[in-house]
Amino acid sequence: MKYFFTLLLALSFACAYSQNGYPVKNIPDSLLENADAVIRLDDMQINIASEKKMVTKYHLAITILNERAKEEASFSRVYDKLSSISNFKGCIYNPSGERVKKIKESDLGDISVNSQSTLFEDTRRKYYDLEYPSYPYTVEYEWTETENSIFIMPVWVALNDYERAVQNTSIQITYPSELNLRTKTSNLIGSIQQKEADGKKNLSYSISNLKAIKEEPLSHPLLFKVPAINIGIDIINYDGFQGKQSNWNEFGASMHTLWSNRDDISPALNAKFGALKGKTMQEIADAVRLYLKENTRYVNINLGVGGFQPFKASMVEKTGYGDCKALTNFAYTLFKAAGVTSYPALVSTSGNEYVDENFTKSRFNHVFLCIPNGKDSLWLECTNPTYSTGYLSSHDSNRKVLIFGPEGGKMAKTPKHPSSENLQVRNTMLTLTETGNITGSIKTVYKNEQAEIPLALSQINQEDQRKYILNSLPFSNPVLTNITLKNHNTPDQKMEESYDISATMFASQVGKRLFVPTIPLERQSLLTKLDKRKSEIVKRASYRDVDTITYKIPAGYKVEALPQSQKMDTDFGKYECSAKEVNGSVVITKIVELFEGTYPATKYNELYHFHKKMSSSDNSKFILVKETL
């Protein structure tokens, strides 16, 4: 009898899946256009059971049409000591919708997600790597995630990737009536349905038959183009910590509470920095920077509330390590000892566009220090002490940040480096042989964001420096010698790089002529040609490059033809390139300046031709011919 009951359950499970096996023939033809995968069903049901617990049930079925979408078939979710994953089950279906494999919870892998830079972290990942021999096929997953905390709510997005179509997707949120749940919507078709009964509120939304969107270069993130619901909540209840986040001031006040009373250091260190009182801000900041550089290192710490609360400063002083929170708090403590007030600044280094000044919700993943300094502010990145004092890296500049302190939180924006200040000035001297080989030297000065890679190179050994530079050179059999990298430690992060170089077959020898590349390094590339652009153009690159290239002509050769001079001035940037013969050498001068900005889709053709002309000029050649006696 027991065996019969078990068999009945197994058959019921199999039938439940086989009756809805998602035959590929049931996908509308309109959803197959431009699609590598079709999401047949994506259902999220969120139940906020209390101020301390949230349970989310997921049901996902996706048809994989070709190899480009094969990674979508695998399952991967993370959890930690405050969350869990349960009630997992899965199935794989053939094109006819017949179940060919059942995936059990015991089939999942379970590993730590600690990285090499992470010392303490309790995050783990459950996963199933799916390989299937032919296309199309469909995979279906169901699982439950339980969060024993209420802090950062999810974002529901109808479509999560390009070249994906959606047949049916939905979200439901149930929560106690006394809680204030906030939503901010974008691109919805229809409206959110709301109802309330028995002390519970319920929000629901569904949409069907969303066509795949082709990815276009230089565009906004997909989140801004598809139906999405951003979800926020006014309370924080996380690993024993309680706070509020109905507005940015409240959120900042909650973060200040988390950071309070963690500024203890030894009497000796306190006295060391106390002796700096009365010095200039630059002198004090330089002293803090130097101490961080000589005595601390970055190590990630992410355990429960430790993901948001820093180690005490005394622990960083004792151990010599900490994550961005701990090192920023340590620097804050050193400034405090020197009589200087400073404030932590939360930032999103990779998704700054998702930080909304009008919708309070943490999207931050990093923190550094803001030091008021008269009309301006001094900013200090504490995790990378190789940066010059006051320099904000490309990850931190031109970002929306939340500065917090005893008064609460306040949104601000960090300074940006305009194109004219993101500078690269290169002087290339090359001697040509009559067989097309070259020897010479390349010297480059970098400033601001363009200096970040050379700065990182200066921190590794010379052999690794050589390998990195060699990989960037478009030469045949290049040999590098006398590599030097110098950090000037200026607020604009000035770096100098120089090396000697030799290479074979740089110029093409055809009979008595040499065809020599006009631009030896960093030629502009083409953009993808589009028949009709649909989305706005978003250009994030902003820099200015100035190149002077001198080619010494080999004995017995003369100039036969030089490339035509180019000069362009557009909304997207400027470009100049010219060549002339000077005392037995060909001298090329090139200046390119590209602007960041947002432009209408109708200007894409203009941008495409701007890059095409730059690329054509950069890839041109001049001709040397052997003189006849």
Side-chain angles (χ1 to χ4, degrees):
M1 192 71 178
K2 181 179 179 182
Y3 170 77
F4 176 77
F5 182 68
T6 303
L7 179 62
L8 183 62
L9 280 178
L11 289 172
S12 298
F13 180 87
C15 290
Y17 276 80
S18 62
Q19 288 172 0
N20 187 26
Y22 309 101
V24 174
K25 67 180 182 180
N26 290 350
I27 300 174
D29 290 342
S30 61
L31 297 187
L32 296 175
E33 184 180 356
N34 297 323
D36 296 326
V38 177
I39 299 167
R40 314 296 296 278
L41 174 68
D42 187 0
D43 181 51
M44 173 191 285
Q45 298 183 18
I46 301 172
N47 179 24
I48 302 176
S50 69
E51 292 187 357
K52 296 182 179 180
K53 186 176 182 180
M54 181 171 72
V55 179
T56 306
K57 294 182 179 180
Y58 296 90
H59 189 180
L60 174 67
I62 180 169
T63 297
I64 311 300
L65 299 174
N66 55 54
E67 187 176 8
R68 290 188 296 273
K70 67 178 182 180
E71 292 183 0
E72 296 278 357
S74 296
F75 176 85
S76 178
R77 301 294 291 184
V78 296
Y79 68 99
D80 55 29
K81 73 171 189 175
L82 299 176
S83 62
S84 62
I85 298 172
S86 60
N87 302 324
F88 173 88
K89 57 184 177 181
C91 280
I92 304 172
Y93 303 95
N94 67 16
S96 300
E98 298 170 341
R99 179 169 64 86
V100 295
K101 181 177 175 61
K102 183 168 70 174
I103 307 167
K104 304 182 296 296
E105 192 158 0
S106 58
D107 295 326
L108 299 180
D110 191 332
I111 60 172
S112 171
V113 297
N114 283 4
S115 65
Q116 291 182 346
S117 63
T118 300
L119 184 62
F120 302 119
E121 186 172 32
D122 56 9
T123 305
R124 298 187 64 82
R125 179 170 70 93
K126 286 191 176 184
Y127 68 95
Y128 182 79
D129 291 334
L130 177 59
E131 294 284 344
Y132 197 75
S134 61
Y135 301 95
Y137 65 91
T138 301
V139 60
E140 180 179 33
Y141 296 119
E142 292 185 66
W143 74 96
T144 301
E145 295 184 14
T146 302
E147 300 276 348
N148 295 307
S149 64
I150 301 292
F151 186 5
I152 302 175
M153 303 296 290
V155 178
W156 178 85
V157 183
L159 194 61
N160 64 359
D161 205 352
Y162 292 100
E163 282 80 47
R164 310 289 186 264
V166 174
Q167 198 164 10
N168 296 288
T169 181
S170 59
I171 179 174
Q172 295 184 50
I173 312 171
T174 303
Y175 60 99
S177 297
E178 64 269 19
L179 291 184
N180 187 31
L181 192 79
R182 295 175 280 110
T183 61
K184 187 168 184 179
T185 65
S186 56
N187 306 307
L188 292 194
I189 301 171
S191 58
I192 296 176
Q193 302 301 306
Q194 304 183 49
K195 59 183 180 180
E196 184 173 3
D198 302 324
K200 296 277 189 179
K201 290 184 178 180
N202 180 273
L203 307 179
S204 62
Y205 179 77
S206 63
I207 192 168
S208 300
N209 298 326
L210 291 176
K211 295 181 180 180
I213 298 175
K214 290 194 70 173
E215 185 171 9
E216 295 178 324
L218 304 174
S219 61
H220 287 295
L222 182 63
L223 175 62
F224 295 96
K225 305 176 185 179
V226 300
I229 303 173
N230 200 0
I231 307 166
I233 197 165
D234 285 357
I235 63 170
I236 299 173
N237 202 321
Y238 190 85
D239 198 18
F241 172 75
Q242 294 184 350
K244 298 178 180 180
Q245 54 176 341
S246 64
N247 54 57
W248 286 120
N249 183 264
E250 274 192 356
F251 182 84
S254 297
M255 291 300 102
H256 176 71
T257 300
L258 265 179
W259 284 54
S260 295
N261 302 316
R262 310 189 77 76
D263 54 355
D264 57 331
I265 51 177
S266 67
L269 187 57
N270 191 72
K272 175 184 174 71
F273 280 86
L276 297 175
K277 289 181 179 179
K279 299 285 188 181
T280 67
M281 181 67 73
Q282 189 67 43
E283 289 174 312
I284 295 172
D286 283 340
V288 173
R289 164 67 68 203
L290 182 62
Y291 191 90
L292 290 174
K293 182 176 182 178
E294 293 181 345
N295 296 278
T296 66
R297 61 189 175 90
Y298 173 81
V299 176
N300 187 30
I301 313 291
N302 191 9
L303 290 170
V305 76
F308 302 93
Q309 184 180 59
F311 277 167
K312 288 188 173 183
S314 56
M315 185 171 180
V316 177
E317 179 186 359
K318 180 181 177 180
T319 62
Y321 61 73
D323 60 10
C324 62
K325 302 178 297 294
L327 295 176
T328 297
N329 178 64
F330 186 58
Y332 160 87
T333 305
L334 298 182
F335 275 108
K336 182 179 178 181
V340 174
T341 300
S342 62
Y343 300 92
L346 294 171
V347 65
S348 175
T349 59
S350 57
N352 177 66
E353 54 270 281
Y354 301 133
V355 178
D356 189 339
E357 300 97 322
N358 301 311
F359 190 82
T360 305
K361 178 178 181 176
S362 178
R363 304 299 295 266
F364 308 113
N365 63 354
H366 186 49
V367 63
F368 49 90
L369 208 58
C370 174
I371 306 101
N373 187 23
K375 293 182 179 180
D376 298 319
S377 294
L378 181 70
W379 305 87
L380 196 70
E381 168 58 69
C382 303
T383 58
N384 189 344
T386 59
Y387 288 143
S388 300
T389 305
Y391 174 71
L392 274 182
S393 74
S394 55
H395 295 296
D396 300 333
S397 63
N398 197 26
R399 292 288 195 277
K400 291 172 281 190
V401 297
L402 181 73
I403 299 171
F404 65 87
E407 304 84 5
K410 181 180 179 181
M411 292 297 296
K413 194 166 187 179
T414 57
K416 71 176 181 179
H417 308 296
S419 58
S420 59
E421 295 178 9
N422 285 327
L423 193 61
Q424 174 183 290
V425 180
R426 175 171 288 149
N427 193 338
T428 303
M429 305 284 293
L430 299 175
T431 298
L432 285 161
T433 70
E434 60 181 28
T435 58
N437 300 338
I438 55 167
T439 58
S441 63
I442 299 176
K443 297 179 180 180
T444 312
V445 174
Y446 306 90
K447 291 184 179 180
N448 290 306
E449 294 177 18
Q450 297 225 59
E452 291 178 16
I453 290 179
L455 178 63
L457 282 178
S458 70
Q459 306 304 306
I460 61 179
N461 65 64
Q462 195 166 78
E463 183 54 34
D464 287 338
Q465 292 174 4
R466 185 192 318 279
K467 290 177 181 178
Y468 182 90
I469 296 171
L470 283 173
N471 286 335
S472 69
L473 298 177
F475 298 154
S476 175
N477 303 314
V479 176
L480 299 183
T481 56
N482 300 323
I483 300 171
T484 62
L485 287 155
K486 182 180 179 181
N487 184 356
H488 286 259
N489 291 305
T490 56
D492 58 4
Q493 198 55 68
K494 180 180 176 181
M495 290 289 301
E496 283 189 56
E497 174 193 76
S498 65
Y499 51 85
D500 294 331
I501 185 169
S502 63
T504 59
M505 297 183 291
F506 174 75
S508 302
Q509 186 179 25
V510 180
K512 61 181 182 179
R513 290 176 172 80
L514 286 176
F515 293 81
V516 187
T518 303
I519 306 299
L521 297 175
E522 297 185 14
R523 300 165 190 153
Q524 291 290 322
S525 58
L526 290 170
L527 294 180
T528 303
K529 187 172 177 57
L530 300 175
D531 293 331
K532 187 175 181 181
R533 174 86 181 197
K534 293 183 178 181
S535 60
E536 279 188 325
I537 303 163
V538 182
K539 291 184 82 275
R540 295 178 176 87
S542 177
Y543 61 85
R544 178 180 171 87
D545 288 353
V546 179
D547 279 277
T548 303
I549 307 139
T550 303
Y551 291 98
K552 186 172 177 56
I553 300 172
Y557 279 76
K558 65 178 182 180
V559 174
E560 183 177 65
L562 293 176
Q564 185 177 359
S565 295
Q566 297 287 341
K567 186 173 183 179
M568 293 178 282
D569 191 343
T570 74
D571 292 341
F572 313 107
K574 302 176 182 180
Y575 179 90
E576 294 182 37
C577 190
S578 61
K580 60 182 178 180
E581 184 179 0
V582 181
N583 299 327
S585 297
V586 173
V587 180
I588 312 294
T589 303
K590 172 190 164 185
I591 302 173
V592 57
E593 184 172 2
L594 298 184
F595 309 142
E596 67 172 345
T598 301
Y599 308 87
T602 53
K603 292 185 74 69
Y604 185 80
N605 193 50
E606 181 183 336
L607 175 64
Y608 171 81
H609 284 288
F610 176 51
H611 275 263
K612 184 178 180 180
K613 289 177 181 177
M614 287 194 295
S615 176
S616 177
S617 177
D618 282 0
N619 286 282
S620 66
K621 296 183 179 182
F622 63 91
I623 304 171
L624 303 178
V625 63
K626 194 167 187 178
E627 297 181 286
T628 56
L629 298 177

